[in-house]
Amino acid sequence: MHLVTYIGLAHHSEQTLAESLRVIGDGHASQPDVLHTCHTLAGFSDGHLARLAPIVARYGEQGHGEVEEPERLHAAGLAQVRSGPVGLLRDLQDLHVLATLVLTTWTVINQAAQGLRDHELLTLAGEAGGETSRQLSWLNTRMKTAAPQALIVAT
Amino acid sequence: MDRIADLWGPRTPHAKGTVWPARVDQYLADGLAEDQVDRWVQSACLLCSNGCGCEIAVRDGRMVGIRGRAGDVVNHGRLGPKGLYGSTPWASSPDRLTHPLVREAGRLVETDWDTAMARIVEVSRRLLADKGPLTHGFYTTGQLFIEEYYTLGVIGKAGLGTPHMDGNTRLCTATSAAAFKESFGADGQPGSYTDIEHCDAIFLYGHNMAETQTVLWSRILDRTRAADPPLIVCVDPRRTPVAREAERTGGVHLAPRVGTNLALMNGLTRELFVNGWVDEPWVRAHTVGAADLRSIVEPYTPREVARVCDVDAGELSRAARIFGESRDVLSTVLQGFYQSHQATASAVAVHNLHLLRGLIGRPGSGILQMNGQPTAQNNRECGADGDLPGFRNWDNPNHVRELAELWNVDPLTIPHWSPPTHAMQILSYAEEGSIGLLWISATNPAVSMPESARVRRVLAGDQCFVIVQDLFLTETAQLADVVLPAAGWGEKTGTFTNVNRTVHLSEKAVDPPGEARSDLEIFLMYADAMDFRDRDGAPLIRWRHPEEAFDAWREASRGRPVDYTGLTYEKLRGPTGIPWPVNDQAPEGTDRLYTDAVFPTDTDRCETYGHDLLTGATVTEQEHRALRPAGRALLKGARHTPPHETPSEDYPLLYTTGRTVYQWHTRTKTGRARTLNDAAPDAWVELSVADAARLEITEGDVVRVESPRGAIQVRARVGQVREGAVFAPFHYGAWDPAGLDVDASPSRQANELTMTVWDPVSKQPYFKTAACRVTKIRAGAGPAPAPTTAASAPATDGVPPTAGGPPTTTRRVDTPHYPNDPGAR
């Protein structure tokens, strides 16, 4: 069952997103809203991971020999930050890409959960997807705010 | 009567539902008698946000005193200590700025207006040519007039086209505006001061009204000291006079741990749900979001709130019961919520409580989200703070088009591609140099903004050209490249609007000193020199005088919730200020909003589509349409998160800043009123009895208070603050009546310690959540310089009481008829 592949993808991509949010937040600490909001948003992902644990236990996860993982499944996280206003903009854009991967993963899982009539998984996929949308909304808001100054005026 | 010793004056108690009796307070300087006054000039007081109607006494071309206007709906003749003693002395202070100054070889030197303005215009034109309007930033205040804000708003938005406009209102009242927008769709105070006369309970959230709005507090005292008093509930980490009144009336004082307001509010909200105090049919008909709110507050049981906030679970439940079971409730909110952690969510929670019970829009059931400053409301209305004029939505192309047509400019000139830039972000752009011209009017960020060392560095640096327009050479003006001398209150004509939407006209009483000019004249001078034009090549700014500017603003407000179309200078010369909206439907003004429970939340009308209260992410137009609020109020919530800085081993105490009754802002005016300054002449910190004992600190000891960002050295008052918290007044900078010592070390400035961090929605900086440590430096010689009369009262006896105000008069007069007052019908 390929669902386990996607449960594995959810697990891995949420983890990557949480770590990357913290790296970017800490790296742009001179922008306090970026610092603090990135940590809050990373907390969302931590919560999803915690709730995913019992589901992983039920279905298993890729990497346990059941299903072969397709190549190039995972997105790499952000290990370091760029500097300056344009650097911040690009970092937020990268976070947006990671969060989009998380969101579509939950969308796909949600579909499967309906087919399986798995209420626990369905609730998690719905709520985690909703919170991922909130992560994306903030990233989008912050990028729109930063873009004019960064692209037109900043040196 | 000594109004330093007696902050609120004599009581005039009266029964519920009756009109607050009139009482006229008056003060004349230098022992002058009334018959020595040449003339009285109509105005309203500028020394807090209450907006008391008053008259300025003039003798020999000088302002020499003040008296309340008995017919004014705001104050019924009363004035507070700051208004009485502080309104006029600054004006004739010998250190007024009387000439423009420019920086030459590192020093500020006197010059003429042409030279100063030419220097500004040269920088402005160069930056516009090089990189466009995003190089320009404006940082104003809550103390200019409507005419000045609106003119500057048009210059910034239609002349230059910069989104970088904000005021110190961001530090004082941004959360009030943001909370209104989230709940009701637009800014606008729902309640009225007349709610005090009709309510059964008053909840004051983070609002030490007894000191911040003394006249409003005397209005409450005249109810609580009557035979049928309302119950008072106070949420404050200090045992303020409000807290003591709560105890006296059988109400509740909740002193939550600093930074946990939202957990407390979620607990109160949950109590309404679980005890069946929710008016289900009303909520169904007039709100959106009850089910989501209920699930957000569900975990906040009284026990959980007791754990997070360190309050008594039973007292929390008792407070909730008072809210749940009183027929009519008035709520007021101020800096204890606005400048603290999760500010907007906490202020919105106050709305939620009222909406869940349908307590809005009728006498006695009101909300007063307060302001700190007298004209803060106008900065929000007129567009000098970045919001579009007339509570228009920057994200709504139709609203932008309306303004473009009014001003006859290309809609793309008006910056509306993202939210207006907030003050701390403007500072950050100035720091990196992408804002190359920063124009500061009538405010003193070098003392009032958080993390002072950083602010000084940004303003003093070469990366940004700084213009300061003020009455005095403040700590901020010292750092400027050009300093412009401004006329103050009583030296110019204009209008302004108080907390409960009441508009007053303030007439010019005397000429400004030297070459000082009104802020309106200065902005017009800049507009002329820059030659801003509309789409047809005509001058963009088509007015010269205050009254013409007011008329232009009136047109901008037409058809919006903040409708001024029924107001004229002539009408405002009547016996009282008039609350907006004033239009054909309400020619005499409007005492309270939302009497029909229809809110400006319609997607096409609202001022904002809203935000995620936890993260600040904006709601899109499509999402808002999908919600279909259509005139229903929005119930919104968020879970509590820990503050950004919590106590640690190194910094074990919580640091919070605030106000004292005798000083105002950075003391530019009150510090020059000897009577007021003598009552609170120097900075201090307040410690609880338990913390002081543990640190072996006694009253008056010199202590060092330190956070990861800076330190101050001041004297300690062992007082009324809750255990674990330290309170410091924010008023004191390097300037003192004795002189200015910018290199003073160690500092006494409270903001040396505060953090650069702000609310995700309102963007209001948090001045009340930092960690600190306190160490004793040496024993003091006598008590701390803190007043004894209010929240700073000492815990122990033996400190001489604060007193010594020269005599004022106070007399009862027949209570006139107040238009719109529900008790008068």
Side-chain angles (χ1 to χ4, degrees):
Chain A
M1 192 166 64
H2 280 287
L3 174 62
V4 294
T5 311
Y6 265 76
I7 288 174
L9 181 58
H11 189 166
H12 190 272
S13 59
E14 285 279 21
Q15 215 158 28
T16 307
L17 178 59
E19 284 163 11
S20 302
L21 278 163
R22 293 197 169 94
V23 168
I24 300 303
D26 292 342
H28 292 283
S30 62
Q31 308 291 323
D33 61 330
V34 174
L35 167 65
H36 296 298
T37 316
C38 281
H39 278 267
T40 302
L41 298 183
F44 285 14
S45 293
D46 294 344
H48 305 161
L49 286 167
R51 290 173 65 188
L52 198 57
I55 289 164
V56 169
R58 276 202 285 122
Y59 286 98
E61 190 179 356
Q62 99 322 313
H64 293 271
E66 262 190 64
V67 176
E68 279 299 304
E69 176 188 325
E71 274 185 71
R72 295 171 50 78
L73 185 70
H74 299 308
L78 306 173
Q80 59 192 33
V81 297
R82 304 172 176 95
S83 64
V86 177
L88 171 65
L89 199 58
R90 277 293 288 118
D91 284 340
L92 294 173
Q93 242 178 324
D94 278 349
L95 287 173
H96 196 275
V97 170
L98 289 175
T100 305
L101 176 66
V102 174
L103 179 63
T104 49
T105 302
W106 286 119
T107 306
V108 167
I109 292 174
N110 191 306
Q111 295 300 101
Q114 296 189 53
L116 289 166
R117 299 177 203 162
D118 182 333
H119 289 282
E120 187 189 7
L121 184 56
L122 192 58
T123 307
L124 173 59
E127 291 178 4
E131 287 200 331
T132 311
S133 296
R134 291 172 70 188
Q135 292 172 321
L136 283 163
S137 294
W138 180 79
L139 290 165
N140 206 41
T141 300
R142 193 63 180 80
M143 281 191 290
K144 283 176 78 170
T145 310
Q149 202 73 9
L151 298 189
I152 303 173
V153 202
T155 45
Chain B
M1 163 160 289
D2 173 0
R3 291 292 300 279
I4 293 294
D6 187 348
L7 297 172
W8 308 296
R11 296 280 51 78
T12 47
H14 66 110
K16 183 185 169 189
T18 62
V19 175
W20 187 34
R23 176 192 100 193
V24 173
D25 298 341
Q26 174 176 311
Y27 174 67
L28 292 174
D30 315 326
L32 287 172
E34 212 169 306
D35 60 9
Q36 292 175 287
V37 174
D38 297 339
R39 58 203 167 88
W40 294 90
V41 179
Q42 179 180 342
S43 184
C45 182
L46 216 55
L47 284 176
C48 82
S49 63
N50 202 51
C52 296
C54 68
E55 287 167 322
I56 307 166
V58 179
R59 177 183 162 82
D60 297 336
R62 214 166 69 93
M63 298 192 278
V64 292
I66 189 166
R67 72 179 175 205
R69 301 186 86 207
D72 199 277
V73 293
V74 168
N75 54 321
H76 295 203
R78 289 163 188 74
L79 292 171
K82 280 195 290 290
L84 288 164
Y85 295 123
S87 285
T88 61
W90 59 271
S92 45
S93 176
D95 59 342
R96 277 293 293 275
L97 286 170
T98 52
H99 296 274
L101 308 173
V102 291
R103 194 166 290 280
E104 293 286 358
R107 281 182 56 246
L108 285 170
V109 296
E110 277 193 10
T111 187
D112 54 44
W113 275 102
D114 288 344
T115 307
M117 194 51 75
R119 196 163 293 198
I120 293 169
V121 168
E122 189 253 307
V123 176
S124 185
R125 283 190 189 281
R126 177 165 49 77
L127 287 169
L128 285 177
D130 285 355
K131 291 191 168 173
L134 301 187
T135 52
H136 283 54
F138 293 86
Y139 184 60
T140 56
T141 177
Q143 297 170 53
L144 298 183
F145 291 157
I146 284 177
E147 296 75 3
E148 295 162 337
Y149 290 127
Y150 182 63
T151 302
L152 182 63
V154 178
I155 289 172
K157 288 176 171 58
L160 293 162
T162 176
H164 308 322
M165 306 185 80
D166 203 358
N168 66 15
T169 47
R170 187 66 60 184
L171 320 183
C172 101
T173 182
T175 299
S176 161
F180 286 146
K181 293 183 213 175
E182 295 299 324
S183 299
F184 308 127
D187 196 350
Q189 188 70 268
S192 166
Y193 292 167
T194 60
D195 288 326
I196 292 168
E197 282 91 62
H198 296 267
C199 66
D200 303 292
I202 308 177
F203 280 61
L204 296 102
Y205 298 100
H207 184 192
N208 181 12
M209 188 197 281
E211 292 191 66
T212 54
Q213 287 91 8
T214 52
V215 172
L216 200 58
W217 181 244
S218 71
R219 191 165 182 160
I220 288 183
L221 287 177
D222 284 343
R223 286 288 305 115
T224 59
R225 302 304 169 107
D228 54 351
L231 292 171
I232 303 291
V233 176
C234 169
V235 179
D236 201 307
R238 289 201 296 167
R239 193 164 169 270
T240 62
V242 177
R244 297 201 288 272
E245 201 66 7
E247 291 158 12
R248 217 189 59 82
T249 58
V252 181
H253 173 210
L254 296 168
R257 185 178 278 135
V258 170
T260 65
N261 290 332
L262 185 57
L264 185 115
M265 295 310 293
N266 284 348
L268 290 175
T269 311
R270 183 182 179 278
E271 288 291 284
L272 292 197
F273 280 115
V274 300
N275 289 295
W277 291 321
V278 174
D279 183 343
E280 304 279 358
W282 196 94
V283 167
R284 267 197 304 278
H286 301 294
T287 69
V288 181
D292 284 347
L293 179 63
R294 174 145 200 182
S295 72
I296 288 168
V297 301
E298 196 49 47
Y300 296 86
T301 60
R303 223 170 118 183
E304 172 64 3
V305 174
R307 185 188 69 79
V308 175
C309 304
D310 189 25
V311 296
D312 183 84
E315 288 291 276
L316 178 88
S317 298
R318 200 159 72 79
R321 180 169 294 277
I322 292 173
F323 195 95
E325 295 185 340
S326 297
R327 187 179 176 279
D328 284 295
V329 183
L330 168 66
S331 292
T332 78
V333 194
L334 195 56
Q335 309 304 0
F337 271 37
Y338 300 166
Q339 293 184 339
S340 194
H341 188 54
Q342 298 191 287
T344 305
S346 303
V348 160
V350 175
H351 299 162
N352 292 341
L353 292 175
H354 279 260
L355 291 167
L356 288 172
R357 283 206 57 216
L359 297 182
I360 192 163
R362 65 168 192 250
S365 279
I367 297 161
L368 294 171
Q369 298 278 0
M370 301 297 292
N371 302 339
Q373 295 175 87
T375 83
Q377 183 61 41
N378 304 115
N379 206 336
R380 282 149 56 176
E381 294 167 4
C382 299
D385 73 344
D387 285 335
L388 295 182
F391 297 164
R392 286 179 175 84
N393 183 353
W394 59 268
D395 212 3
N396 183 333
N398 291 325
H399 288 193
V400 176
R401 195 172 313 125
E402 282 171 16
L403 287 175
E405 283 168 13
L406 181 73
W407 297 332
N408 192 28
V409 295
D410 180 347
L412 264 181
T413 312
I414 302 170
H416 64 280
W417 47 79
S418 66
T421 316
H422 60 93
M424 300 309 295
Q425 188 67 55
I426 289 177
L427 189 78
S428 175
Y429 288 152
E431 183 173 35
E432 70 186 32
S434 71
I435 285 180
L437 181 155
L438 180 62
W439 193 324
I440 299 168
S441 318
T443 185
N444 190 8
V447 180
S448 56
M449 269 193 167
E451 209 179 334
S452 300
R454 171 176 179 245
V455 179
R456 283 191 297 264
R457 196 173 62 239
V458 173
L459 297 177
D462 292 331
Q463 83 294 349
C464 181
F465 182 79
V466 175
I467 303 154
V468 172
Q469 176 174 327
D470 212 312
L471 305 172
F472 295 97
L473 195 64
T474 61
E475 289 89 339
T476 302
Q478 291 275 340
L479 305 171
D481 296 290
V482 175
V483 179
L484 304 175
W489 178 85
E491 297 168 347
K492 59 182 186 178
T493 294
T495 52
F496 58 95
T497 307
N498 79 339
V499 170
N500 74 332
R501 295 173 279 102
T502 305
V503 188
H504 284 105
L505 174 66
S506 178
E507 303 258 26
K508 178 176 173 178
V510 299
D511 286 325
E515 292 179 26
R517 297 195 188 180
S518 78
D519 298 273
L520 177 63
E521 286 175 273
I522 297 171
F523 293 144
L524 288 173
M525 204 186 311
Y526 172 68
D528 288 347
M530 294 296 289
D531 196 26
F532 295 121
R533 299 274 160 172
D534 70 8
R535 199 142 51 171
D536 298 325
L540 177 69
I541 312 282
R542 294 181 285 275
W543 52 88
R544 310 306 304 176
H545 303 290
E547 189 163 3
E548 295 164 357
F550 181 82
D551 292 348
W553 154 245
R554 205 175 51 192
E555 278 314 302
S557 76
R558 186 178 291 280
R560 294 298 302 160
V562 52
D563 195 336
Y564 277 67
T565 47
L567 282 175
T568 59
Y569 269 29
E570 194 193 338
K571 190 156 185 150
L572 290 169
R573 290 196 173 101
T576 177
I578 302 171
W580 63 252
V582 194
N583 50 24
D584 293 342
Q585 289 78 48
E588 298 311 317
T590 307
D591 192 37
R592 61 179 47 69
L593 303 181
Y594 312 137
T595 52
D596 54 0
V598 175
F599 303 92
T601 52
D602 187 85
T603 306
D604 296 319
R605 184 161 176 79
C606 65
E607 189 179 1
T608 177
Y609 302 132
H611 299 80
D612 185 321
L613 296 188
L614 186 67
T615 67
T618 51
V619 175
T620 64
E621 183 192 340
Q622 291 90 325
E623 289 165 338
H624 194 266
R625 278 196 197 284
L627 204 59
R628 284 195 296 121
R632 291 174 294 173
L634 293 121
L635 291 163
K636 292 182 129 180
R639 62 187 167 80
H640 165 72
T641 58
H644 300 113
E645 191 168 271
T646 48
S648 60
E649 210 169 292
D650 280 349
Y651 301 101
L653 295 165
L654 283 161
Y655 181 75
T656 180
T657 70
R659 284 140 192 84
T660 184
V661 64
Y662 303 109
Q663 298 285 8
W664 203 60
H665 272 221
T666 61
R667 295 156 51 255
T668 314
K669 286 178 176 169
T670 52
R672 288 175 173 88
R674 197 168 160 195
T675 305
L676 293 172
N677 201 57
D678 285 352
D682 197 1
W684 69 91
V685 289
E686 290 168 31
L687 301 170
S688 70
V689 174
D691 289 324
R694 195 167 28 249
L695 296 163
E696 296 176 1
I697 291 167
T698 56
E699 171 68 36
D701 285 353
V702 177
V703 299
R704 180 177 166 85
V705 188
E706 210 169 344
S707 84
R709 290 156 296 279
I712 52 173
Q713 192 166 309
V714 292
R715 278 170 284 175
R717 161 67 33 98
V718 181
Q720 312 290 333
V721 69
R722 66 161 281 153
E723 191 177 345
V726 175
F727 173 92
F730 88 109
H731 309 287
Y732 301 89
W735 173 80
D736 200 72
L740 181 85
D741 183 4
V742 285
D743 300 320
S745 180
S747 171
R748 60 176 181 174
Q749 191 169 313
N751 276 319
E752 308 285 358
L753 279 71
T754 48
M755 293 178 85
T756 300
V757 59
W758 53 81
D759 183 71
V761 180
S762 69
K763 313 291 193 270
Q764 183 154 354
Y766 292 158
F767 292 92
K768 295 180 189 282
T769 44
C772 73
R773 62 169 168 250
V774 179
T775 42
K776 180 171 167 172
I777 298 293
R778 60 175 183 272
T788 63
T789 43
S792 302
T796 48
D797 295 334
V799 177
T802 306
T808 69
T809 63
T810 183
R811 61 192 161 86
R812 288 289 303 273
V813 296
D814 289 342
T815 300
H817 176 79
Y818 297 104
N820 302 319
D821 192 318
R825 284 176 199 149

